[in-house]
Amino acid sequence: MTCTTQSPTKGCRDFRSLSRRAALQAGGLFGLSLPALLQQQSLGAAGGLVGQAKSCIILYCWGGQSHIDTWDLKPKAPSSIRGPFKPVSTKVAGIQVGEHIPHLTRMTDKLAIIRSMFHTDTAHGRGMYWNLTGHKPPTNRPGNIPPMRSDWPGLPAMISHFRDSQPGVPRSIRLPYPMVDNGTLQAGEYGGFLGGAYDPIVVKTPKGTAYGGRSRDLGSPVLDLAAGVDRNRFRRRRDLLGQLQSGAVPNQSSAASSSYGHFHDLALNMLVSDKVQKAFDLESEKPALKELYGKHLGGQSCLLARRLVDAGVPVVQVLMSASDLNGGAGDHWDTHGNNFNRLKDRLLPVFDRSASALLTDLDQRGQLDETLVVMIGDFGRTPKINGNSGRDHYPFSYTTVLAGGGIQGGQVYGSSDAHAAHPKDLACGPSDLHATIFTALGIRPDAQIHDNLNRPHMLTVGEALPLF
């Protein structure tokens, strides 16, 4: 098999084509005759799946984290490529990472670092689509693509399809902002053909709100009843309303009405859910733990993510930046200019402290084995430094990091070439990453979901990486 000119030239396989296993199974896929979760438990046992993760936290670096300055440094490359950052030894002998993630350096025994990721789209939205859906973005919609119900669902939607939540607990939550904080919706972020019921609840931070140690600064939903309305009384009224409506036939004439009904019921249930109320109340958290995560939006968002999975939310996606994703300080990973100062002074300190605190907290609580943590972005950054001391979009080689959820830490999977320009060994793509994530969660990668026309699709045609 040959690769495109921008694809790996060694150890390459075309992750967009069906694997032999997937091709053999494609003709005889099983149907979803049982509820999704029960089906997956049965099939997982029959197929020998060992996934033990109950929930997933995605730390998403919008804009594309520079792999060559963080996880995959090349100290022997020319200065125009390697940059000023130095590699340092880590807790695991033989593994080196960048000098500006010192907390994670001491936690590499819990990390699986995948240095051989690649895809072929250089636009933010399309790279995000590929990494969050595990599928190539549509070719008939160029550039950054707005969402349509015909799109593949995002990773949170697919996971939550097989992970039921309790009443009043959302299937998935994204915080502390939408993916692009300028009103532009992006394909791959939402429920896609699974429907609006699988769209994430977006917890948005109000513009101009600085971190002040209060949960409201994270944009938590206003889960307060009107003045004078007792919570128990509200529960009784809601139950009575449900009894009166039980004989009515709900209007299922459109996907929109079905989606509205789902979110209407969810909103009512969230109002009376003590579990959800408590999860969003960061004021009740111990000051020392809040300090561990860091007094910035990234850290407190990671803390809230841990509290939300404790409350039963199957998937939480945190958009990792310093304080402002797309405005003011430009605290996102799209570092076309001033790459090294932005990484050193703003982005990496927040990312390093937040991610390491999350892993430490989960580990100390005995929850790391049952919580899969995924660190990912749109793509990597160009090996060659541009004239603005920056690095540009680069999907042909990048790094993804996994931890927890049964993933074996202390390992590096694959490698890139001498300039971190292409995978050198064990090249893998978004579909393989998705297969690995689903396997960690006890979900068969070849499980079937149905689109809005009831057509069956396999979750992914990728192969799970041997990280367990």
Side-chain angles (χ1 to χ4, degrees):
M1 180 180 295
T2 58
C3 298
T4 63
T5 56
Q6 302 257 30
S7 297
T9 56
K10 183 176 180 182
C12 173
R13 63 186 181 85
D14 186 352
F15 62 83
R16 291 166 291 174
S17 64
L18 280 172
S19 66
R20 181 177 180 273
R21 171 182 64 80
L24 290 172
Q25 293 171 332
L29 287 172
F30 44 81
L32 291 178
S33 57
L34 297 174
L37 180 58
L38 295 178
Q39 180 210 42
Q40 282 304 306
Q41 291 172 341
S42 173
L43 291 171
L49 289 180
V50 294
Q52 56 187 320
K54 297 178 181 178
S55 56
C56 182
I57 297 175
I58 302 169
L59 304 183
Y60 195 91
C61 296
W62 185 92
Q65 189 180 75
S66 178
H67 61 298
I68 195 172
D69 297 313
T70 308
W71 299 108
D72 193 13
L73 278 69
K74 302 294 180 181
K76 296 181 180 180
S79 59
S80 60
I81 289 174
R82 70 173 183 264
F85 294 172
K86 302 294 189 295
V88 295
S89 297
T90 70
K91 186 173 184 178
V92 178
I95 297 180
Q96 291 189 322
V97 298
E99 62 182 314
H100 295 296
I101 48 172
H103 293 90
L104 288 168
T105 296
R106 296 189 287 272
M107 303 192 72
T108 48
D109 60 320
K110 295 179 172 54
L111 306 180
I113 303 170
I114 308 169
R115 288 178 173 163
S116 52
M117 292 288 299
F118 83 102
H119 63 75
T120 56
D121 264 295
T122 58
H124 289 297
R126 300 179 70 81
M128 182 194 70
Y129 186 98
W130 216 332
N131 274 329
L132 282 183
T133 70
H135 294 266
K136 185 177 181 179
T139 57
N140 60 344
R141 290 149 66 194
N144 292 325
I145 43 182
M148 296 177 62
R149 282 296 169 214
S150 59
D151 295 327
W152 265 89
L155 183 60
M158 286 187 284
I159 293 173
S160 63
H161 181 70
F162 296 99
R163 286 289 185 273
D164 289 335
S165 58
Q166 298 177 3
V169 178
R171 289 189 172 109
S172 66
I173 287 179
R174 186 191 312 137
L175 53 93
Y177 357 65
M179 188 69 80
V180 179
D181 196 22
N182 60 7
T184 302
L185 302 182
Q186 299 283 307
E189 297 184 66
Y190 299 97
F193 61 62
L194 286 178
Y198 289 92
D199 289 345
I201 298 292
V202 179
V203 177
K204 184 177 180 181
T205 299
K207 285 185 177 293
T209 301
Y211 174 74
R214 295 180 56 80
S215 59
R216 281 292 158 77
D217 293 333
L218 285 177
S220 303
V222 180
L223 300 177
D224 298 328
L225 295 168
V229 178
D230 175 77
R231 195 170 301 279
N232 290 328
R233 183 183 179 192
F234 181 82
R235 287 193 183 101
R236 292 194 296 270
R237 286 183 174 182
R238 188 195 58 173
D239 292 342
L240 177 60
L241 178 62
Q243 294 173 22
L244 293 173
Q245 292 178 335
S246 62
V249 177
N251 178 13
Q252 298 293 337
S253 60
S254 70
S257 63
S258 177
S259 178
Y260 174 82
H262 164 76
F263 284 106
H264 176 268
D265 291 343
L266 178 60
L268 289 177
N269 285 327
M270 286 176 70
L271 278 170
V272 296
S273 170
D274 292 333
K275 184 177 291 188
V276 174
Q277 292 269 339
K278 291 177 181 177
F280 278 107
D281 183 17
L282 291 185
E283 291 299 302
S284 64
E285 194 57 82
K286 295 179 180 178
L289 188 61
K290 294 175 70 174
E291 184 70 28
L292 176 69
Y293 278 86
K295 291 187 175 180
H296 38 60
L297 196 56
Q300 299 304 293
S301 296
C302 286
L303 173 56
L304 180 55
R306 194 273 295 161
R307 291 171 62 88
L308 288 169
V309 297
D310 279 354
V313 180
V315 192
V316 180
Q317 180 175 320
V318 180
L319 299 191
M320 290 301 300
S321 68
S323 291
D324 189 339
L325 184 66
N326 281 339
D331 285 332
H332 51 77
W333 302 88
D334 195 22
T335 53
H336 292 283
N338 199 23
N339 171 74
F340 303 102
N341 287 330
R342 288 171 66 185
L343 289 176
K344 176 173 62 74
D345 297 334
R346 296 287 300 175
L347 291 162
L348 288 178
V350 171
F351 174 81
D352 180 47
R353 183 165 184 174
S354 304
S356 62
L358 175 63
L359 297 179
T360 298
D361 193 11
L362 288 169
D363 189 38
Q364 291 178 347
R365 295 168 63 87
Q367 296 176 335
L368 187 57
D369 283 342
E370 61 187 39
T371 308
L372 179 66
V373 179
V374 181
M375 307 179 197
I376 196 170
D378 310 345
F379 32 57
R381 311 300 296 186
T382 51
K384 186 172 178 59
I385 302 167
N386 65 28
N388 295 315
S389 296
R391 298 190 190 269
D392 301 317
H393 303 177
Y394 199 77
F396 310 112
S397 180
Y398 61 97
T399 298
T400 295
V401 179
L402 302 179
I407 297 292
Q408 183 67 43
Q411 62 175 316
V412 172
Y413 181 86
S415 64
S416 63
D417 62 20
H419 292 173
H422 300 289
K424 178 182 178 183
D425 296 302
L426 302 174
C428 55
S431 61
D432 301 310
L433 177 67
H434 276 234
T436 308
I437 292 170
F438 293 138
T439 299
L441 289 158
I443 301 170
R444 286 185 62 129
D446 56 5
Q448 206 175 20
I449 54 176
H450 290 76
D451 64 19
N452 44 7
L453 297 178
N454 204 33
R455 296 173 298 190
H457 301 272
M458 284 194 300
L459 282 176
T460 178
V461 297
E463 298 279 356
L465 304 179
L467 304 179
F468 302 92

